[in-house]
Amino acid sequence: MNFELNQDHKVLQDSVRDFVNKEIKPLAVKIDEDHAIPDELVAKMSEMGFLGSYFPEEYGGAGLDMLSYAIVVEEVSKACGSSGVLISAHTSLCSNPIYVFGTEEQRNEWLPDLNSGKKIGCFMLTEPNAGSDAGGTTTMYKREGDEFVINGSKTFITNGGYLGTAIVIASFDRSLKHKGISAFIVDLSSPGVTILKNENKMGIRGSYTTAFAFDNLRIPVGNLLGQEGKGFNIAMDTLNGGRIGIASQALGIAEGAFERALAYSKERKQFDQPICEFQGIQFKLADMWTRIETSKLLTYRAAWLKDNKRNYTMDSAMCKLHASETATYVTKEAMQIHGGYGYIADYEVERMYRDAKITEIYEGTNEIQRVVISKLLLS
């Protein structure tokens, strides 16, 4: 076994870190306060290849691998969880299903704009009464000639506010439950698409989280992704891969909070010595770092398995579960190490604490991850 990153991955890591320190870190507080990521920053991340990392160059991607993608999301999230989730949702939840399940014509039509950042992608599965129960999808579609007509609503859509490209999950027969569901590629600038609201959230406030309504949205039949009636399978496969991105985001948030807590513990003095000299603080740092390192091993392993076309379902659930709970734990402890200052926005760990919690919730709550893991164990 070799647990070292190869030279290409190390060069990439250094390059991303340099970019993050120059372009993202100085804006992180403002992104949180303004509830938006500047378009200029999105354009710069696109130029760096962050939005098309592991897709082939023939479709406008950077031609890297899944581990490279995990590293990108991790490093970006150390400074800004909102920017990390933009990359993660765009890549894993929109571009990836088009690449995996799309026809060659669909790949050539949609992926270049997504990989270049001309369009920002999102995944439309969740509804007010259907999230974890994907088979309960109530958004309906029917075919009329050479078009599909979609009616319904979606909520909690990450990146939705960009009105770019979406993977929309809808049903043609609710009585068939998951067997009646199909997936579609949708241009969100189309007539019939209405933004109901952008949510005001506790954390990742720079990331758009949007509710939509579809009123007789018409799309060409060529926008059907995969086979009709196979949308549930596409959604589950998409979420499976997406968990690696969320784990990478959680890992980055945890690392960013740890770095700040470690530095603060060396600077802050009480009783005539730095607080890092107290065993109580040392125990916290040891526990935080141990959880971070185990999360990293799980996340990198899941990415490696996907790269090598091995079954990674359990591994993606485990890395998402462990890394997200690590992010919440580490950011909480980082605030505790900062004492009263940890509750003040100037020290950033309070933002990271707010950003961390969502990683336990989206891409399936951690209770769902435990169900996935236990079912695989029992089978």
Side-chain angles (χ1 to χ4, degrees):
M1 292 185 184
N2 182 0
F3 292 100
E4 285 286 334
L5 293 176
N6 64 34
Q7 189 60 32
D8 289 341
H9 289 130
K10 289 179 180 178
V11 170
L12 172 70
Q13 189 178 59
D14 288 342
S15 175
V16 178
R17 283 177 179 172
D18 183 60
F19 175 86
V20 168
N21 286 330
K22 290 180 179 177
E23 303 291 348
I24 300 180
K25 194 172 181 179
L27 296 176
V29 173
K30 184 173 175 56
I31 287 170
D32 181 69
E33 292 174 345
D34 292 351
H35 292 233
I37 301 169
D39 291 340
E40 295 81 4
L41 178 57
V42 176
K44 289 178 180 179
M45 292 194 295
S46 301
E47 291 171 5
M48 289 290 291
F50 292 176
L51 300 185
S53 54
Y54 64 87
F55 300 109
E57 294 178 6
E58 63 187 286
Y59 304 119
L64 303 175
D65 58 11
M66 192 69 185
L67 180 54
S68 298
Y69 159 70
I71 290 169
V72 168
V73 176
E74 174 191 359
E75 294 298 328
V76 169
S77 299
K78 284 183 184 180
C80 178
S82 295
S83 299
V85 75
L86 182 151
I87 298 169
S88 174
H90 169 92
T91 307
S92 297
L93 302 184
C94 185
S95 300
N96 190 76
I98 295 173
Y99 177 66
V100 173
F101 297 101
T103 63
E104 191 62 22
E105 183 179 356
Q106 288 173 332
R107 292 173 182 170
N108 286 314
E109 179 180 356
W110 299 96
L111 286 179
D113 281 353
L114 288 165
N115 289 332
S116 68
K118 186 176 180 180
K119 295 284 187 178
I120 300 299
C122 63
F123 181 66
M124 292 192 166
L125 170 65
T126 303
E127 300 176 0
N129 295 305
S132 301
D133 178 17
T137 295
T138 60
T139 296
M140 303 297 294
Y141 78 91
K142 61 182 179 179
R143 181 165 179 170
E144 292 184 359
D146 293 332
E147 294 180 318
F148 289 113
V149 183
I150 302 175
N151 285 279
S153 61
K154 298 291 181 180
T155 192
F156 298 146
I157 306 304
T158 303
N159 291 348
Y162 289 100
L163 288 176
T165 302
I167 304 300
V168 175
I169 305 299
S171 173
F172 64 86
D173 186 345
R174 290 185 61 193
S175 68
L176 296 177
K177 297 187 177 179
H178 66 278
K179 293 183 179 179
I181 293 173
S182 301
F184 304 91
I185 310 171
V186 174
D187 179 353
L188 293 180
S189 65
S190 304
V193 178
T194 301
I195 287 182
L196 299 177
K197 64 175 178 176
N198 284 312
E199 302 288 354
N200 184 11
K201 306 184 298 297
M202 168 182 160
I204 57 165
R205 298 197 298 193
S207 167
Y208 291 124
T209 303
T210 310
F212 284 88
F214 301 129
D215 183 13
N216 291 323
L217 166 64
R218 293 181 175 272
I219 60 172
V221 293
N223 286 25
L224 174 69
L225 184 62
Q227 297 179 352
E228 198 165 3
K230 297 294 184 181
F232 180 85
N233 305 76
I234 291 173
M236 294 303 101
D237 184 89
T238 299
L239 292 174
N240 189 22
R243 287 168 185 141
I244 299 174
I246 299 308
S248 303
Q249 180 196 355
L251 174 62
I253 293 171
E255 289 176 310
F258 177 84
E259 289 174 0
R260 287 158 177 78
L262 180 64
Y264 182 83
S265 74
K266 295 177 180 179
E267 298 165 0
R268 175 67 169 170
K269 290 186 177 181
Q270 289 289 280
F271 304 100
D272 299 321
Q273 62 181 333
I275 63 172
C276 65
E277 297 297 326
F278 294 104
Q279 198 172 62
I281 299 297
Q282 293 172 0
F283 283 179
K284 287 183 181 295
L285 294 171
D287 287 343
M288 293 159 73
W289 187 246
T290 299
R291 295 194 189 199
I292 287 171
E293 285 296 289
T294 51
S295 295
K296 182 177 292 187
L297 289 170
L298 284 168
T299 303
Y300 284 13
R301 172 179 162 80
W304 179 86
L305 288 170
K306 190 173 190 296
D307 276 332
N308 286 275
K309 296 178 170 46
R310 304 267 291 274
N311 190 309
Y312 65 94
T313 300
M314 180 183 286
D315 296 82
S316 67
M318 288 194 300
C319 74
K320 193 270 185 186
L321 169 66
H322 196 279
S324 63
E325 294 188 352
T326 291
T328 301
Y329 171 81
V330 168
T331 53
K332 178 178 70 69
E333 292 294 87
M335 288 181 67
Q336 199 71 17
I337 289 172
H338 279 74
Y341 290 112
Y343 210 63
I344 296 173
D346 291 349
Y347 284 79
E348 295 195 279
V349 290
E350 67 85 28
R351 168 173 55 84
M352 293 177 172
Y353 179 71
R354 290 187 284 105
D355 287 350
K357 185 58 185 176
I358 189 61
T359 63
E360 294 189 64
I361 298 171
Y362 58 12
E363 302 302 308
T365 64
N366 280 0
E367 288 73 23
I368 291 176
Q369 311 314 314
R370 289 182 166 91
V371 169
V372 171
I373 295 164
S374 61
K375 281 189 174 181
L376 290 170
L377 288 172
L378 292 170
S379 67

